[in-house]
Amino acid sequence: PTPFPTRAPSPAPTVLTQSPTSTGIFGAQVPPLDWRAVASSSDGMRLAAVAYEDNVYTSVDGGESWQKTSAGPTRWQSITSSSDGLQLIAVVEGGFIWSSQDGGETWTQNTSVEFSDWSAVSSSDDGVQVVAAASTAGALYTSSDAGETWTEVADSVANWQGVAVSSDGSTTAAIQYDWVTGEDGLQGFGSVWVSTDSGTTWEAADVVLEGTTEFQSISMSADGSTIAATNYNGPIYWSDDGGESWEPVTALGSRPWRDIDVSSDGSKLAAVVLGGDIYTSNTAGATFERVDNTDFGGQQNWRSVAISGDGSQIIAASVDGDHIWKIPFLDAPVPAPTMAPAPMPTPRPVGTGEGDITIPPSEAPTRAPSGTPDTTAVFLYAAEEVPELNWRSIATSSDNSVRVAVIDGGGIWRSVDNSAWAEIVDSPQQAWTSVTMSADGTKAAAVGTNTGIWVSEDSGATWSEALGSEPKDWTGITSSESFQLLAAVADHIYLSSDGGETWAASLTQEENWAGIIMSSDGTRLAAIVNGGNLWLSLNAGASWDEVSDPADSATSTSRGMDRHLEDRPLEGTKDWTTVSASSDFTTIAAAASGDYIYVSRDSGVTWTGAETVGAPRNWSAVAVSPDGSVLAAAVQGGNIWLSDDAGATWSEDATSFGGPQNFKSLAMSASGLVTVVAEEGGTIWTFFVNSLAPTPAPSEGPSEDGGGGEVGAQFVLAIVLGIFAVPVVIGLVYLIHRQRYANVSKRPAVPSPPRTPTGPPIVSWLEGVTQVVAPEDVVVATADTENPPVYDPTHRPLESSYEARP
């Protein structure tokens, strides 16, 4: 062939660099270009990258600095490198093939091959054997002289997307896909082709495809035995026998995979997701790790990835990134990050003193009628100062010892054993929307907009993305008590039965899903649609029933129950925003924006609208206690509403939180302690419904039928549970016999439904308890007022069967 003229090199400015991060990840600052492909020499020192409608860039120091070459601006699409980094070949979309024999100093354009939409190129280690592919009814071309001459592969016209070549050039592979019209409309149908004679003849590989297939990239080991291919919005496909058999890598799930590379020995892989993360494997694809994206500033539109031949480092570039990243390929996972406290003051209990939470007798609360503002409906335990961020969702363990909150456009925060809130170091920065936690607080999961599902197995200290999840606009997530079963909503309803590792669609009907809740055993679920209806499942998501106008379906066969709804409170669609339920799913509460709170006390068979809240309001959150007796609700730009009779009546607290707030999320522990966060608020509040608060009532003297009186600093607290008396003398003693003290509170007693006793005995909250004697029907304790303990909010206050009297 006639030699093509070379273009003289032009001065190339050195691109700015930055120092490596603490994790060893290094990002060389480059122009924010549409980076399409990167290539690496075997030792990782000589690198090359192409930017669409810009230029070819090279590095000779392992990516610490980059130079723009003389190739010139055009629609660069792909580039390949020999093992020594000197032989470079690049292709142009809607253009020609270019080559360089001096590491990118000078370039030659080959016009002997027709103008085409070139999509990919790959070469042998010595750069001699080369395969190039063209899309849009293009073809495969091979070269055996480092790109000087090219031969079109016969009958190879297709929409080719990627090619790969073994180190000696004998084995080559290519991928393509075409659009076909099927039952579900236009679908991608792809295929893998393999050649064992340097691209002279090709055979279609036997790949069992799952769903629509849009192959994007392919790579192979030096000997051609290990081959991997990416599938956009599908699984990665994998072969360890030179392409004879293929299996989908289901553990990674279906994602918008864009590029993949395999190390020379086939033991290491790196794959990138468009609008996602980088995933690596050092076990020949048996297991994968997600590269923490903190150093990258979150998820990126990754387009290309390359592994050095020795497997020591990864080079990655995104379509709109201002860095090209060099990542050390670790043989072991990065150590779990430690949590550093944020510069915030330690939360202080709210009360009359620095260390206690008692209320003076003169301030003993009174209860307001339902539906009217009640400034004391809340017993405020603590107002914890936090940064003014877009707090979005909060979750708590059953004993309130572990709490986790997420930020819309920020990280993940937690508080352990009522310590100050602190942001998790290296927590992913996402547009978080919802978080859930196991009852024991050891496991948690969070979702957000355009993210996967993230899980933690160490009480929120570290987080990783569930490999079986997909990036979606998730709006809600919930879990069973043990965290074995989870459910989340995005475009559909998804379920996991293995702690969040894998996910499958439970209800594929596309709706504007806004939230979901699950019973403690995971068998019952409720999901809500913003601008739609409420859906129920009583068989662990196997089938769902839409709860709407009863005239539409008076009986639900899928739920196995009649649904009467005589008063028709759920008639018509609503802008549902929040839903919660008791542990056994007997009590369900849901609220809609510009509407009321709706409560069911029979697992969703009948519903009642809570019109005692007055006018319709923009409800943002609702929480139901595990036993279903206590409910709390929050209004966006409004106040907190509370009910201690399973939603029959409600009281509004208009002042305890400093006036109306943009409340966003509520979480309730087993003891009835509620935690609430406000969007753009600088406070996280914890409180009790006032009728359950552990505050000693003032003494009123003896009741009409005996007992009572002032006893001084040492006094006896008597609680009568049965019908006969037991005298107990501990210091100064009261004898209690067949009666209860009464009329000792300024507020009338508020009856509550029976609650299943949980937690420690009542002594867990009594000030200065020194001894308790508990015969069959009497519990008596003395209190030491000189040494009052600090209240422990993780323990439940009085059970409904007890009455506290001074």
Side-chain angles (χ1 to χ4, degrees):
T2 303
F4 294 97
T6 60
R7 185 179 300 176
S10 58
T14 300
V15 184
L16 298 177
T17 64
Q18 70 175 27
S19 301
T21 66
S22 59
T23 58
I25 295 176
F26 181 95
Q29 186 174 343
V30 292
L33 302 174
D34 186 353
W35 298 99
R36 289 300 176 96
V38 291
S40 172
S41 61
S42 61
D43 62 1
M45 294 305 295
R46 284 186 171 271
L47 308 173
V50 293
Y52 192 76
E53 293 186 336
D54 194 80
N55 215 315
V56 180
Y57 290 75
T58 60
S59 172
V60 296
D61 54 10
E64 293 192 14
S65 62
W66 290 79
Q67 295 80 38
K68 180 188 292 188
T69 70
S70 60
T74 188
R75 289 176 289 186
W76 298 103
Q77 189 70 20
S78 181
I79 191 169
T80 186
S81 171
S82 60
S83 61
D84 60 8
L86 296 177
Q87 300 280 348
L88 301 176
I89 296 179
V91 294
V92 176
E93 180 187 79
F96 298 98
I97 300 174
W98 291 66
S99 61
S100 172
Q101 298 180 355
D102 52 13
E105 289 290 330
T106 59
W107 288 86
T108 299
Q109 179 182 243
N110 191 328
T111 57
S112 65
V113 184
E114 65 182 28
F115 183 95
S116 189
D117 281 336
W118 299 103
S119 58
V121 64
S122 183
S123 66
S124 58
D125 277 1
D126 59 9
V128 175
Q129 298 290 335
V130 191
V131 177
S135 61
T136 317
L140 292 176
Y141 286 78
T142 62
S143 173
S144 57
D145 53 11
E148 290 190 12
T149 60
W150 293 87
T151 301
E152 182 179 352
V153 176
D155 301 324
S156 65
V157 175
N159 183 26
W160 299 102
Q161 295 297 311
V163 290
V165 179
S166 63
S167 62
D168 62 2
S170 61
T171 302
T172 56
I175 51 172
Q176 65 88 30
Y177 73 87
D178 292 308
W179 292 102
V180 296
T181 302
E183 295 181 357
D184 298 326
L186 200 63
Q187 292 180 303
F189 181 79
S191 60
V192 180
W193 292 73
V194 179
S195 171
T196 57
D197 54 10
S198 300
T200 303
T201 60
W202 295 75
E203 290 186 2
D206 184 14
V207 184
V208 179
L209 303 176
E210 297 186 353
T212 184
T213 310
E214 302 172 40
F215 283 121
Q216 299 292 309
S217 175
I218 192 168
S219 180
M220 68 173 56
S221 59
D223 61 3
S225 62
T226 299
I227 311 175
T230 57
N231 176 21
Y232 193 82
N233 281 336
I236 291 175
Y237 286 88
W238 170 266
S239 173
D240 56 7
D241 54 12
E244 292 187 9
S245 62
W246 293 77
E247 294 290 338
V249 183
T250 56
L252 286 175
S254 297
R255 305 172 188 270
W257 299 105
R258 193 60 188 90
D259 195 19
I260 194 168
D261 200 20
V262 181
S263 64
S264 295
D265 62 2
S267 65
K268 298 179 179 180
L269 292 88
V272 294
V273 177
L274 189 68
D277 293 302
I278 301 173
Y279 293 84
T280 64
S281 172
N282 53 28
T283 58
T287 58
F288 281 81
E289 295 283 341
R290 184 188 65 85
V291 177
D292 186 88
N293 61 27
T294 304
D295 291 321
F296 313 130
Q299 295 180 326
Q300 301 289 330
N301 286 319
W302 298 109
R303 181 61 185 258
S304 181
V305 65
I307 301 178
S308 59
D310 60 6
S312 63
Q313 69 181 29
I314 303 168
I315 304 297
S318 65
V319 298
D320 53 4
D322 58 0
H323 288 79
I324 293 178
W325 296 92
K326 180 173 69 174
I327 305 155
F329 209 124
L330 302 179
D331 290 328
V334 177
T338 57
M339 186 176 66
M344 299 180 298
T346 302
R348 179 179 63 84
V350 174
T352 59
E354 291 297 322
D356 60 66
I357 56 165
T358 59
I359 295 179
S362 61
E363 299 178 17
T366 57
R367 188 176 181 84
S370 297
T372 61
D374 178 2
T375 60
T376 58
V378 161
F379 178 87
L380 193 58
Y381 166 67
E384 304 164 272
E385 294 184 26
V386 292
E388 293 188 8
L389 302 172
N390 289 326
W391 299 94
R392 184 62 186 267
S393 180
I394 192 167
T396 179
S397 60
S398 62
D399 64 0
N400 206 61
S401 62
V402 181
R403 295 176 293 167
V404 172
V406 294
I407 309 297
D408 183 1
I412 300 176
W413 292 63
R414 75 166 183 165
S415 170
V416 179
D417 294 330
N418 304 298
S419 62
W421 285 87
E423 184 174 13
I424 306 298
V425 175
D426 296 332
S427 65
Q429 305 290 304
Q430 305 285 359
W432 298 110
T433 55
S434 183
V435 64
T436 186
M437 178 170 284
S438 61
D440 62 6
T442 60
K443 298 179 180 180
V447 295
T449 302
N450 192 28
T451 68
I453 297 175
W454 289 72
V455 295
S456 171
E457 296 183 350
D458 53 7
S459 299
T462 60
W463 293 77
S464 61
E465 188 174 9
L467 295 179
S469 68
E470 298 180 30
K472 294 180 180 293
D473 291 338
W474 301 99
T475 55
I477 190 167
T478 184
S479 62
S480 62
E481 184 177 276
S482 66
F483 210 74
Q484 184 68 23
L485 303 176
L486 292 94
V489 288
D491 52 340
H492 308 308
I493 297 177
Y494 294 84
L495 299 179
S496 172
S497 59
D498 53 11
E501 291 185 10
T502 59
W503 292 81
S506 171
L507 181 63
T508 58
Q509 180 163 329
E510 289 200 21
E511 299 280 0
N512 188 21
W513 299 103
I516 192 166
I517 193 67
M518 176 183 287
S519 61
S520 62
D521 62 3
T523 60
R524 302 184 178 195
L525 300 96
I528 52 174
V529 176
N530 191 275
N533 294 311
L534 186 147
W535 292 69
L536 291 175
S537 173
L538 299 187
N539 52 16
S543 60
W544 290 82
D545 182 57
E546 185 176 13
V547 181
S548 56
D549 189 340
D552 295 336
S553 57
T555 303
S556 168
T557 57
S558 64
R559 289 195 298 135
M561 62 170 68
D562 292 335
R563 174 162 44 80
H564 305 293
L565 297 170
E566 294 86 358
D567 53 355
R568 305 169 72 90
L570 301 187
E571 183 175 1
T573 60
K574 301 180 185 298
D575 291 330
W576 295 105
T577 57
T578 178
V579 63
S580 184
S582 58
S583 294
D584 61 3
F585 219 69
T586 300
T587 301
I588 311 172
S593 180
D595 210 302
Y596 295 97
I597 301 173
Y598 295 86
V599 179
S600 172
R601 300 177 186 86
D602 51 15
S603 300
V605 177
T606 59
W607 292 80
T608 301
E611 296 185 359
T612 56
V613 299
R617 304 175 190 277
N618 292 324
W619 303 101
S620 58
V622 65
V624 179
S625 64
D627 60 16
S629 64
V630 179
L631 286 77
V635 177
Q636 179 80 7
N639 297 316
I640 297 292
W641 288 72
L642 302 146
S643 172
D644 62 1
D645 53 9
T649 60
W650 292 79
S651 294
E652 180 183 16
D653 191 301
T655 60
S656 293
F657 306 97
Q661 304 284 343
N662 286 322
F663 293 115
K664 204 65 179 178
S665 179
L666 291 165
M668 189 180 299
S669 68
S671 67
L673 186 70
V674 184
T675 302
V676 61
V677 296
E679 186 179 32
E680 299 178 352
T683 307
I684 292 180
W685 296 272
T686 51
F687 62 90
F688 278 107
V689 177
N690 199 35
S691 59
L692 299 179
T695 306
S699 174
E700 292 284 348
S703 62
E704 293 179 1
D705 46 4
E710 192 72 34
V711 297
Q714 297 289 330
F715 65 92
V716 176
L717 175 65
I719 302 173
V720 180
L721 303 180
I723 60 172
F724 65 92
V726 175
V728 179
V729 179
I730 306 171
L732 187 60
V733 178
Y734 276 18
L735 177 64
I736 304 164
H737 181 64
R738 300 178 178 275
Q739 61 185 354
R740 296 190 178 197
Y741 286 29
N743 303 323
V744 297
S745 174
K746 291 184 179 179
R747 57 184 171 89
V750 180
S752 296
R755 293 195 291 273
T756 303
T758 61
I762 59 171
V763 297
S764 62
W765 66 265
L766 294 177
E767 276 195 356
V769 168
T770 57
Q771 188 171 358
V772 169
V773 179
E776 253 180 33
D777 62 343
V778 178
V779 176
V780 181
T782 62
D784 181 0
T785 59
E786 298 298 323
N787 300 290
V790 177
Y791 170 63
D792 182 357
T794 65
H795 292 164
R796 190 183 183 90
L798 293 175
E799 298 299 335
S800 58
S801 58
Y802 295 130
E803 285 186 8
R805 297 291 181 255

